[in-house]
Amino acid sequence: MSDENLFDQEDYLQARVDECIWQKSSDAGISRQRFLQILATMVGATAIGGLAKPAPAHSQTSKSNLSTSAAVKPKGSRIIKPLPPGYISHSKGTLEMNWEAMYERGYLVPNNWFYVHSRNTPPPFDPSTWRLHIQGTGVSTPCQFSYDEIITMPSISVTCAIECAANGRRFFEEAYNKPLSGTKWRLGAIGVAEWTGVPLSILFERAGLKSTARDVLVEGGDLDSLDSKQFKFSSVVPISKALADNSLLVYAMNGEPLPPDHGQPCRALFPGWGGNANVKWIERIEVSETPIYTQWVLEQMVLVGADYPAISPYKGKVITYQNVKSAFELAWPATLTAKPYLMRGRSWSGKGKIVRVEVSLNGGKTWQFARLREPNFPFAWVRWDIEWNPIPGEYSLQARATDNLGNTQPTTVPWNDSGLLYGGVVSHPVTVHG
């Protein structure tokens, strides 16, 4: 996808909002201006009747030392794979990557070390009965594919990150001294892997994609709940994103069949977008000629706060691409001995490729450029390092990265009520003993 197309999404979202307003006002037999006046007196997405209701389930579309033993799973854990040493399991369905463990690792995160965020235990998979259904007004030939048919189609491999939109949520709490609900991730809700699968464009071609197609809903096999209602989890992307060369129906991860915790048999891959867009355990894809609105996207995948006014039908600013972040490959907090070190870290951007990383070893007073190491793939991350020979004392290490579109990590980040997309410079505490 070209750099220009990265910004088309903002225009498309605005077009969807305008179209929604026009359709609702037409249905109500009133002018668009009058409809906007009515909306101004109401609150959020619920102002538009019917948009915030999920479709029925059948139709909807750390700190830890490396020498420690394997982490203990919470009682009733939804995670199937063994938990690696030193990793953090915040709840029944989460596993945060240990940055300290990545110091001596390569570019990719091994499957068993990859972070996990699951709302439910992975659903059972029977390759003889599983089917992927492709349907909707945006295709002329609704169809279904078996697992064997999927894995024998033309495929490609894409190396990129998948990152939870809530990665870094804990830093919102610390910066604003306000509690937040949800998993208290630091920066370990991310991983980079080589994903292999079928370009969605091939599947859509076989289903007879119409030129009038607008939105794509991807639905998984796991149930989620919102406002005491249960529905199958799904996400929505515009057709332009779904047709991008690197948007895949993934069936393999780092050269192995997709593990249950990571979406077996198939998951979506939309490089650069928040983790929720990369739906796991896919069962159905709906292609529509009109915009698709789901309660999850309208109310949960949005930034809500004083700096993010709602634009109906969305409750806040819609989350699409991830922002720029950096992390040190260190324990949190870290304790070191006074001697020379090669400090290492990784930086990434959901909108492209990292071109510069600056590091401060004194809490932001002075900065120096870090060395960037190959490979450096867009929508993934770059590894970097810098020498440091500290004397005993307390330190606050900081790193800030800039991508090829000029996006740089800010010092502060506006608050949002769900603690999503924290992209500010993080202060990593280090104690050095003599």
Side-chain angles (χ1 to χ4, degrees):
M1 177 178 285
S2 68
D3 291 348
E4 290 79 7
N5 285 335
L6 290 171
F7 300 102
D8 288 347
Q9 176 63 10
E10 293 296 329
D11 296 335
Y12 176 68
L13 287 172
Q14 185 58 54
R16 290 181 71 192
V17 169
D18 291 344
E19 182 175 352
C20 174
I21 291 173
W22 171 248
Q23 184 60 54
K24 287 296 177 181
S25 59
S26 297
D27 293 345
I30 58 178
S31 70
R32 183 178 187 276
Q33 182 178 7
R34 176 57 182 151
F35 190 72
L36 287 171
Q37 291 173 344
I38 294 173
L39 284 182
T41 67
M42 302 179 181
V43 180
T46 55
I48 301 181
L51 288 182
K53 298 178 181 178
H58 66 274
S59 65
Q60 236 210 33
T61 24
S62 132
K63 186 235 178 192
S64 185
N65 193 294
L66 288 180
S67 63
T68 61
S69 59
V72 177
K73 292 184 184 179
K75 186 177 180 180
S77 176
R78 306 183 188 114
I79 299 173
I80 292 178
K81 67 183 181 182
L83 303 191
Y87 276 46
I88 305 167
S89 187
H90 296 277
S91 63
K92 294 179 180 180
T94 61
L95 176 66
E96 181 165 1
M97 188 185 71
N98 181 356
W99 275 105
E100 182 185 10
M102 294 303 295
Y103 186 88
E104 295 181 347
R105 306 299 305 187
Y107 192 79
L108 304 179
V109 179
N111 293 357
N112 63 324
W113 288 25
F114 210 92
Y115 93 97
V116 177
H117 186 191
S118 297
R119 295 166 184 82
N120 293 282
T121 302
F125 166 55
D126 182 346
S128 66
T129 60
W130 177 86
R131 296 293 184 271
L132 169 67
H133 298 267
I134 299 182
Q135 58 194 110
T137 59
V139 296
S140 59
T141 312
C143 55
Q144 62 180 24
F145 300 100
S146 69
Y147 183 69
D148 285 344
E149 288 174 320
I150 293 293
I151 63 176
T152 55
M153 288 183 183
S155 64
I156 64 172
S157 293
V158 173
T159 297
C160 74
I162 290 182
E163 178 187 13
C164 180
N167 199 20
R169 175 181 281 144
R170 183 184 293 267
F171 298 114
F172 272 114
E173 290 190 333
E174 294 175 0
Y176 287 88
N177 195 28
K178 293 170 63 175
L180 283 165
S181 60
T183 304
K184 303 299 190 289
W185 304 106
R186 286 199 189 276
L187 288 170
I190 183 176
V192 170
E194 180 187 70
W195 310 95
T196 301
V198 181
L200 288 172
S201 58
I202 292 178
L203 296 172
F204 294 161
E205 181 181 3
R206 298 195 181 191
L209 182 70
K210 297 179 182 179
S211 61
T212 51
R214 294 284 304 280
D215 270 3
V216 175
L217 180 145
V218 182
E219 181 181 86
D222 60 324
L223 290 175
D224 200 0
S225 60
L226 207 59
D227 296 337
S228 300
K229 299 176 182 178
Q230 277 204 326
F231 55 93
K232 287 193 174 182
F233 182 77
S234 63
S235 191
V236 179
V237 300
I239 189 65
S240 59
K241 181 63 177 174
L243 291 177
D245 293 342
N246 55 6
S247 292
L248 306 181
L249 178 74
V250 168
Y251 57 76
M253 178 181 182
N254 289 330
E256 300 176 1
L258 202 59
D261 291 306
H262 300 292
Q264 185 189 68
C266 295
R267 74 177 302 164
L269 181 71
F270 297 114
W273 277 43
N276 285 296
N278 302 278
V279 177
K280 298 190 288 188
W281 312 308
I282 293 179
E283 293 183 342
R284 186 174 76 92
I285 297 177
E286 177 183 345
V287 184
S288 174
E289 292 180 286
T290 56
I292 299 175
Y293 301 98
T294 69
Q295 187 176 13
W296 182 265
V297 174
L298 290 173
E299 298 187 16
Q300 301 297 311
M301 288 311 297
V302 290
L303 302 178
V304 178
D307 293 282
Y308 305 104
I311 304 177
S312 291
Y314 301 98
K315 191 176 180 180
K317 181 180 179 181
V318 181
I319 294 173
T320 56
Y321 292 94
Q322 294 277 15
N323 48 12
V324 183
K325 298 185 183 70
S326 299
F328 286 89
E329 296 171 355
L330 281 172
W332 190 290
T335 301
L336 305 176
T337 302
K339 65 177 183 179
Y341 287 95
L342 182 66
M343 307 303 297
R344 291 175 175 168
R346 305 185 188 216
S347 298
W348 58 95
S349 171
K351 290 189 174 181
K353 176 179 178 179
I354 298 297
V355 296
R356 183 173 69 251
V357 176
E358 301 165 272
V359 174
S360 175
L361 303 171
N362 53 17
K365 296 176 182 177
T366 59
W367 296 85
Q368 53 188 306
F369 291 114
R371 288 181 295 268
L372 306 188
R373 304 297 189 182
E374 294 294 335
N376 182 6
F377 296 128
F379 311 114
W381 54 28
V382 65
R383 295 171 295 173
W384 46 262
D385 55 58
I386 193 168
E387 283 95 3
W388 188 34
N389 189 9
I391 61 174
E394 301 291 329
Y395 295 87
S396 179
L397 307 190
Q398 298 179 341
R400 65 186 180 200
T402 302
D403 67 19
N404 61 306
L405 300 180
N407 299 300
T408 301
Q409 291 178 257
T411 303
T412 60
V413 178
W415 171 268
N416 69 83
D417 294 347
S418 296
L420 305 177
L421 294 189
Y422 189 90
V425 174
V426 171
S427 296
H428 198 122
V430 178
T431 299
V432 178
H433 296 299

